């Protein structure tokens, strides 16, 4: 509009508003605006939710598993203190934590659940933000060496029916050998804390206990752990950072980073994000075609006006600018409204999901399938800018044919039959 002359702006404003006998054209233009709005809103919502899903998964998975693990062969890393010192001395490593992980079985009041036992040093349990920042009931200060107290996930607590102060029994099938065979080792532990990190699989299975208690339960010597969890200052360069450490532990352990451990999940998210982006761009493309069709009808309806303007001295360029302004104004307004609608729906996303679930009676966000307990969101300014540019570009391109069609109108041929 800035590049238009005064009379061009006036005519463009008049063409944007419905006149007598032009309500059908205005209706088509309105549908085009709504289509652009919905397309932009859908893109903003889907891309933000996908980014939030990836970011939440990454934060929570890395919060419990680190950026990489130095894992001993056969699940046992001997002389772990030397490996721990080497890991901490590696440039780019922020922290290194020894731990033990073992799938076992827990029982309480006749209920049986498979668990993933994790033994950590007491200070590491309390410093782990993924756990310490998400304690629902109880206190991690109760989890001390020799206290026979453990912290368990909220979903596991629900499945077992256990509460704070209850005693659950953990079974280790690799127990002591007797003349009658191997007798499973069963030890009772008191629930000292219940946490909820927000990832269903973790909340459903994790049991945390002090390292020494885990070594006693699993009959491991004090110089043996399962792995060392490592966090770096740049997750995307974890391979390069840990390459010197991999050379030092070669033959004793193997290093797996977060991409290797969760490659299928994050690759599936990346593919789905690209696919959704392309599919939703088609909605904006359809809206652009609607804008083109409404402009073509407007040109046909305004043929006499165009011919009169041309005879009064309006140039072909002026006609092109007028009709391009009309189309791009519809696209720009639809884009702005789409952004507003998208951000409003993102802000109220969880109440909307809860309302639809109550209304339909269906569980639309099952944590056992979606991994996370709530619908996440993380708008990316770069992606939102790309969405806006794509919407404006498609609507601009849609105006070219109608605008040049209007400019090519021959006033002599039109006015000859008037």
């Amino acid at each position: 509009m800035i590049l238009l002359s005064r009379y061009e702006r006036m005519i463009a404003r008049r063409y944007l508003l419905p006149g007598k006998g032009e309500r059908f054209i205005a209706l088509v233009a309105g549908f085009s605006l709504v289509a652009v709005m919905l397309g932009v809103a859908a893109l903003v919502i889907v891309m933000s939710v996908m980014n939030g899903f990836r970011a939440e998964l990454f934060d929570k998975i890395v919060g419990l598993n680190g950026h990489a693990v130095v894992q001993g062969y056969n699940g046992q890393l001997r002389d772990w203190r030397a490996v721990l010192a080497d890991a901490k001395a590696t440039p780019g490593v922020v922290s290194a934590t020894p731990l033990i992980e073992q799938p076992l079985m827990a029982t309480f009041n006749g209920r049986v659940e498979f668990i993933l036992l994790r033994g950590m040093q007491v200070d590491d349990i309390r410093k782990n933000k993924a756990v310490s920042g998400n304690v629902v009931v109880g206190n991690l200060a109760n989890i001390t060496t020799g206290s026979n107290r453990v912290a368990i996930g909220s979903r596991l607590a629900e499945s077992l029916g256990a509460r704070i102060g209850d005693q659950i029994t953990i079974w280790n099938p690799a127990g002591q050998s007797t003349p009658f065979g191997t007798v499973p080792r069963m030890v009772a532990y008191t629930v000292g804390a219940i946490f909820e990190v927000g990832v269903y699989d973790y909340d459903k299975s994790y049991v945390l206990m002090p390292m020494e208690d885990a070594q006693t339960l699993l009959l491991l010597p004090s110089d043996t752990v399962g792995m060392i969890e490592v966090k770096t200052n740049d997750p995307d360069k974890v391979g390069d950072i840990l390459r010197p450490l991999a050379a030092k532990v070669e033959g004793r352990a193997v290093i797996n980073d977060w991409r290797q451990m969760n490659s299928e999940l994050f690759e599936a998210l990346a593919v789905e994000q690209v696919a959704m982006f392309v599919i939703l761009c088609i909605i904006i493309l359809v809206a652009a075609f609607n804008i083109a069709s409404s402009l073509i009808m407007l040109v046909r309806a305004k043929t006499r006006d165009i011919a009169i303007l041309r005879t009064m001295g309006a140039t072909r360029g002026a006609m092109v600018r007028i009709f391009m302004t009309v189309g791009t104004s519809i696209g720009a307004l639809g884009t702005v409204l789409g952004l507003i609608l998208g951000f409003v729906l993102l802000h109220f996303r969880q109440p909307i999901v809860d309302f639809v679930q109550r209304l339909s009676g269906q569980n639309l966000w099952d944590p056992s399938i979606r991994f996370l307990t709530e619908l996440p969101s993380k708008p990316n300014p770069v992606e939102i800018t790309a969405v806006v540019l794509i919407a404006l570009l498609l609507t601009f391109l849609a105006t070219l044919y109608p605008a040049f069609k209007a400019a090519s109108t021959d006033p002599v041929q039109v006015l000859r039959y008037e």
Side-chain angles (χ1 to χ4, degrees):
M1 296 286 283
I2 298 177
L3 300 178
L4 302 182
S5 63
R6 183 177 178 182
Y7 87 90
E8 290 172 353
R9 288 198 296 269
M10 180 189 68
I11 295 172
R13 280 195 295 268
R14 287 193 61 183
Y15 285 178
L16 279 170
L17 299 175
K20 292 182 178 180
E22 299 169 1
R23 291 184 179 179
F24 180 73
I25 299 174
L27 182 63
V28 175
F31 285 150
S32 303
L33 186 147
V34 172
V36 173
M37 178 184 70
L38 294 178
V40 171
L43 267 173
V44 169
I45 293 170
V46 170
M47 300 305 289
S48 298
V49 169
M50 294 295 291
N51 284 332
F53 198 83
R54 185 185 186 280
E56 285 289 315
L57 273 180
F58 181 80
D59 290 343
K60 294 180 184 300
I61 289 174
V62 167
L64 281 176
N65 297 325
H67 298 151
V69 292
V70 183
Q71 193 163 12
Y73 294 113
N74 297 323
Q76 296 186 9
L77 181 62
R78 300 185 182 278
D79 193 19
W80 60 271
R81 290 180 176 85
V83 178
L84 181 65
D86 290 337
K88 290 182 176 180
T90 302
V93 173
V94 176
S95 65
T97 305
L99 54 88
I100 297 172
E101 273 194 0
Q102 183 67 37
L104 297 174
M105 186 171 62
T107 62
F108 177 73
N109 281 349
R111 299 183 182 182
V112 181
E113 292 290 337
F114 289 101
I115 66 169
L116 187 61
L117 176 71
R118 170 172 281 206
M120 303 173 64
Q121 293 179 324
V122 174
D123 289 342
D124 292 332
I125 294 177
R126 296 173 184 174
K127 292 178 182 177
N128 192 307
K129 294 181 180 180
V131 177
S132 62
N134 293 288
V135 175
V136 179
V137 186
N139 196 330
L140 291 180
N142 298 327
I143 315 300
T144 58
T145 303
S147 65
N148 269 28
R149 290 192 180 94
V150 296
I152 65 175
S154 59
R155 303 284 178 175
L156 178 60
E158 291 177 7
S159 300
L160 291 174
R163 300 179 180 179
I164 296 296
D166 291 338
Q167 283 195 333
I168 63 173
T169 301
I170 298 180
W171 292 53
N172 177 17
Q176 295 180 340
S177 298
T178 68
F180 302 98
T182 302
V183 177
R185 182 176 176 80
M186 296 177 291
V187 181
Y189 294 94
T190 302
V191 178
I194 297 175
F195 59 87
E196 183 174 331
V197 299
V199 179
Y200 181 85
D201 290 350
Y202 294 163
D203 294 332
K204 175 70 174 176
S205 60
Y206 265 95
V207 174
L208 303 182
M209 68 170 56
M211 176 80 71
E212 294 77 6
D213 292 352
Q215 289 171 333
T216 301
L217 174 64
L218 299 174
L219 303 176
L220 294 175
S222 60
D223 65 341
T224 301
V225 298
M227 65 190 73
I228 293 177
E229 172 193 287
V230 179
K231 292 184 179 179
T232 64
N233 55 14
D234 190 347
D236 294 325
K237 297 181 179 178
V238 62
D240 296 332
I241 293 173
L242 297 182
R243 190 169 288 113
L245 179 62
K248 292 181 181 179
V249 301
E250 188 176 358
R252 290 186 293 168
V254 61
I255 297 179
N256 294 316
D257 61 41
W258 64 272
R259 290 170 296 192
Q260 296 168 328
M261 293 185 289
N262 306 281
S263 59
E264 294 182 357
L265 176 60
F266 286 103
E267 286 177 6
L269 286 175
V271 171
E272 185 176 358
Q273 189 171 17
V274 173
M276 293 300 296
F277 183 83
V278 173
I279 292 171
L280 292 173
C281 279
I282 295 176
I283 297 178
I284 300 179
L285 183 60
V286 172
F289 281 120
N290 287 338
I291 291 175
S293 63
S294 65
L295 286 179
I296 290 172
M297 288 188 289
L298 182 63
V299 170
R300 294 292 298 272
K302 298 294 184 179
T303 300
R304 185 173 180 274
D305 292 358
I306 295 170
I308 294 173
L309 289 171
R310 290 296 311 281
T311 58
M312 294 176 64
T315 64
R316 292 178 182 269
M319 293 296 100
V320 171
R321 289 192 293 271
I322 288 171
F323 283 93
M324 287 178 62
T325 299
V326 173
T328 52
S329 297
I330 295 173
L333 181 58
T335 301
V336 172
L337 294 176
L339 289 176
I340 295 173
L341 177 63
F343 285 121
V344 169
L345 293 179
L346 282 176
H347 182 73
F348 296 102
R349 63 190 183 280
Q350 195 58 45
I352 291 174
V353 172
D354 295 338
F355 173 75
V356 174
Q357 287 184 154
R358 288 194 299 269
L359 193 65
S360 63
Q362 300 294 323
N363 188 1
L364 302 179
W365 191 261
D366 188 352
S368 63
I369 299 174
R370 312 292 185 183
F371 294 101
L372 302 179
T373 55
E374 290 186 351
L375 182 65
S377 171
K378 186 180 181 181
N380 186 330
V382 175
E383 291 182 350
I384 292 175
T385 302
V387 169
V388 171
L389 292 178
I390 289 173
L392 294 178
L393 176 62
L394 290 177
T395 53
F396 171 76
L397 293 176
T399 65
L400 294 181
Y401 175 76
F404 283 104
K405 185 69 175 177
S408 64
T409 300
D410 187 354
V412 175
Q413 294 293 330
V414 173
L415 297 177
R416 175 180 298 176
Y417 301 101
E418 291 294 329

